[in-house]
Amino acid sequence: MGDYILSLDQGTTSSRAILFDRAQNIIGVAQKEFTQYYPQEGWVEHDAMEIWSSQYGVMMEVIAQSGIRPADIAAIGITNQRETTILWDRATGRPIYNAVVWQCRRTAELVDRLRANGLEGHIRQTTGLIPDAYFSATKISWILDHVDGAREKARRGEVLFGTVDTWLLWKLTGGAVHATDPTNASRTMLYDIHKLDWDDTLLQALDIPRAMLPQVRSSSEIYGYTDIQGARVPIAGIAGDQQAALFGQTCFTPGDAKNTYGTGCFLLMNTGDTPCVSRNGLLTTIAIGLDGRVEYALEGSVFVGGAVIQWLRDELRFFPESRDAEYFARKASDNGGVYLVPAFTGLGAPYWDMYARGILVGLTRGTKREHITRAAQESIAYQVADLVHAMEADTGLPLRQLRADGGASRDGFLMQFQADVLDRQVLRPAIRETTALGAAYLAGLATGFWSDREELRRLWQCSACFTPAMPAPQREHLLGQWHRAVARCRGWAQP
């Protein structure tokens, strides 16, 4: 067996490869951003071949950079942006259309049609999801509708569907394996999370041929092999990015929760063998498929988290580097009464408003760049607080602490403000690359690189603990003003 696990972490804005040793030390990291396409308002696309080439490129770069031999890699784990939809030609291996990204809202009217046809209850009961353009189902149907001959080819199995994990697995194995895992399948709005099979009612409603869908396998097993410079390396772990982060944070016990501060924010709580039905706009999803069974999670999704800082950097040119946001936020003693709701592509949980749009309120002649930057930082924490409060109401379990990861968790101002508005401790792990680490865990368990979950739990370490210090009246005022701002942005783009 090799001495390293290689994680391929395919995200919304970049592809990364991270190499871990047996003690979870990071031996090497390579990352490459790729192009974001916005063909129309509310539309978001990627070039699936660029996703593949960037991911393959960083995989080879991290191997060369670290100086190891490909034969030293015990296994590869894949974690990925979820819901993003790719359709490709089985014979040529070429996409028939750009990848339609999870953020894309082009299918909102198709979702409205599903509701009008009385399918909302079936979707919630069967898939654990709320009907929304966020998920893969309507994206698949849209591509089949808009590419000539695609649906007929799909019926013959000549056009294949995959989320990004499936696409990478297909490419890495030279087209030998067309598969996904339960965590990704559960995000398509086509998968029965109770029967663990694709749902024929939804396939029929959207005219999606079953022949184009991948096989659903465990999150931790050897799916196939890839050739790296003559070495035959097993691909042995797959999980959608947020479930991978939950696993990487060793949230193995019901009630354990983590929030990933990435492009979006994703709060997941492990609910064990029992799916928890939300009454507050959260999603019931599969946490992991392991050891012949699945475990469930309750999830809240924020569409725009760290992406609001990228917006300040790239579109408004407030600062040259995302990390500068913390500096400017700290220069303001408060937000100056400014609130930014970054509903650029609608609002996720607990609101689920596809027609909400971003709003900046409370501006005065004295408003400075620092106030807007601070308002953007605060907006991330407010959105997460909304998720936590909804989750506590659903489960009846008060959250003792929140484990934080993702790129924006490096921001000390944001983490302290999050602890303050939650009135809960926020723990930041020593290894913040928990998404990649979760994929590594799954690949390592499948190949015997690590023995069991208890070994993994013992290896987890906390690097920083943020303790709430905000007076209750101040916290209540800030949250109240935030909710006033949210109310003003809702339904803005309603036809």
Side-chain angles (χ1 to χ4, degrees):
M1 180 183 293
D3 296 320
Y4 307 100
I5 297 286
L6 176 62
S7 275
L8 304 183
D9 183 356
Q10 205 301 299
T12 306
T13 58
S14 69
S15 296
R16 296 191 303 160
I18 302 180
L19 201 62
F20 294 95
D21 68 11
R22 210 173 296 271
Q24 301 184 356
N25 297 308
I26 294 177
I27 305 303
V29 180
Q31 178 169 343
K32 182 176 176 58
E33 290 193 3
F34 54 88
T35 311
Q36 309 291 306
Y37 297 96
Y38 307 100
Q40 296 184 32
E41 181 187 352
W43 291 30
V44 190
E45 295 180 359
H46 295 155
D47 179 342
M49 291 305 291
E50 188 181 5
I51 288 176
W52 162 241
S53 64
S54 62
Q55 189 65 74
Y56 185 82
V58 293
M59 178 178 77
M60 300 308 295
E61 181 183 343
V62 80
I63 293 169
Q65 172 196 103
S66 58
I68 69 164
R69 300 173 306 143
D72 294 330
I73 300 170
I76 293 172
I78 297 173
T79 183
N80 55 287
Q81 53 167 314
R82 304 171 305 169
E83 298 95 16
T84 293
T85 298
I86 303 172
L87 270 60
W88 67 94
D89 186 290
R90 179 193 286 272
T92 66
R94 302 285 304 185
I96 66 169
Y97 190 84
N98 272 350
V100 180
V101 181
W102 59 272
Q103 299 161 312
C104 187
R105 314 308 294 169
R106 75 184 64 186
T107 60
E109 290 185 11
L110 188 50
V111 173
D112 289 341
R113 203 179 312 153
L114 291 175
R115 284 199 180 99
N117 290 337
L119 283 167
E120 180 169 4
H122 179 80
I123 289 170
R124 294 189 64 140
Q125 183 177 358
T126 304
T127 70
L129 307 177
I130 291 170
D132 195 85
Y134 174 30
F135 306 109
S136 310
T138 56
K139 301 179 194 297
I140 300 170
S141 186
W142 188 94
I143 296 173
L144 292 175
D145 285 340
H146 288 81
V147 175
D148 287 343
R151 189 168 268 107
E152 283 307 312
K153 289 182 178 179
R155 288 194 177 100
R156 297 194 298 266
E158 296 170 10
V159 169
L160 303 180
F161 154 71
T163 42
V164 173
D165 59 303
T166 302
W167 170 242
L168 294 178
L169 181 61
W170 170 271
K171 298 297 281 186
L172 286 166
T173 60
V177 182
H178 182 222
T180 189
D181 88 304
T183 69
N184 281 292
S186 71
R187 309 300 297 184
T188 60
M189 210 172 78
L190 292 172
Y191 191 69
D192 188 325
I193 62 171
H194 310 286
K195 296 179 180 176
L196 305 182
D197 192 14
W198 302 111
D199 180 70
D200 287 322
T201 299
L202 294 172
L203 293 178
Q204 183 176 355
L206 290 164
D207 197 9
I208 295 173
R210 185 181 271 263
M212 70 187 301
L213 303 178
Q215 180 187 13
V216 183
R217 296 167 63 175
S218 162
S219 304
S220 180
E221 65 173 85
I222 295 175
Y223 311 99
Y225 295 83
T226 192
D227 184 283
I228 305 177
Q229 297 173 343
R232 192 165 176 260
V233 182
I235 303 161
I238 291 176
D241 52 10
Q242 303 316 318
Q243 289 98 328
L246 187 72
F247 203 77
Q249 287 274 36
T250 65
C251 294
F252 302 149
T253 303
D256 290 348
K258 70 87 202 175
N259 188 66
T260 296
Y261 297 82
T263 303
C265 286
F266 299 90
L267 178 70
L268 272 76
M269 177 186 284
N270 185 326
T271 62
D273 296 333
T274 306
C276 177
V277 178
S278 175
R279 301 176 304 280
N280 293 282
L282 302 181
L283 307 177
T284 305
T285 197
I286 293 178
I288 211 71
L290 196 62
D291 301 328
R293 63 188 182 90
V294 299
E295 296 171 14
Y296 295 91
L298 200 58
E299 173 174 337
S301 309
V302 167
F303 295 155
V304 177
V308 71
I309 305 303
Q310 294 175 327
W311 175 70
L312 293 182
R313 180 194 69 188
D314 298 339
E315 270 66 52
L316 300 193
R317 309 287 177 89
F318 271 19
F319 33 74
E321 301 287 343
S322 293
R323 62 175 175 266
D324 296 335
E326 180 175 3
Y327 167 77
F328 285 108
R330 289 188 185 279
K331 284 187 70 177
S333 59
D334 57 37
N335 64 15
V338 176
Y339 292 81
L340 169 60
V341 183
F344 302 147
T345 56
L347 285 171
Y351 304 102
W352 293 107
D353 187 341
M354 296 182 289
Y355 300 106
R357 288 297 179 266
I359 190 170
L360 184 61
V361 295
L363 300 179
T364 67
R365 182 62 182 82
T367 299
K368 297 179 172 61
R369 169 175 55 174
E370 289 84 351
H371 294 123
I372 296 174
T373 302
R374 179 165 178 146
Q377 293 272 65
E378 291 181 354
S379 76
I380 301 171
Y382 292 138
Q383 291 179 94
V384 173
D386 285 344
L387 298 182
V388 169
H389 296 147
M391 197 164 284
E392 289 178 328
D394 277 336
T395 63
L397 300 171
L399 195 70
R400 297 187 307 276
Q401 56 184 217
L402 181 66
R403 295 191 175 191
D405 56 64
S409 71
R410 292 190 296 264
D411 190 313
F413 170 84
L414 174 59
M415 292 297 96
Q416 183 57 53
F417 190 78
Q418 185 71 82
D420 286 339
V421 296
L422 273 182
D423 198 25
R424 303 283 190 281
Q425 281 189 336
V426 175
L427 304 183
R428 189 168 63 192
I431 298 177
R432 291 198 291 276
E433 304 294 351
T434 52
T435 301
L437 184 60
Y441 281 168
L442 293 167
L445 290 174
T447 53
F449 190 84
W450 289 298
S451 58
D452 54 31
R453 294 197 224 190
E454 283 310 307
E455 180 184 0
L456 302 179
R457 201 194 298 269
R458 288 193 299 270
L459 290 168
W460 190 90
Q461 293 181 341
C462 178
S463 71
C465 177
F466 298 87
T467 301
M470 182 181 287
Q474 181 183 358
R475 179 170 57 253
E476 290 164 8
H477 171 75
L478 290 172
L479 288 169
Q481 292 293 90
W482 160 255
H483 290 134
R484 288 181 68 202
V486 169
R488 282 160 170 75
C489 83
R490 298 195 62 185
W492 182 264
Q494 191 80 36

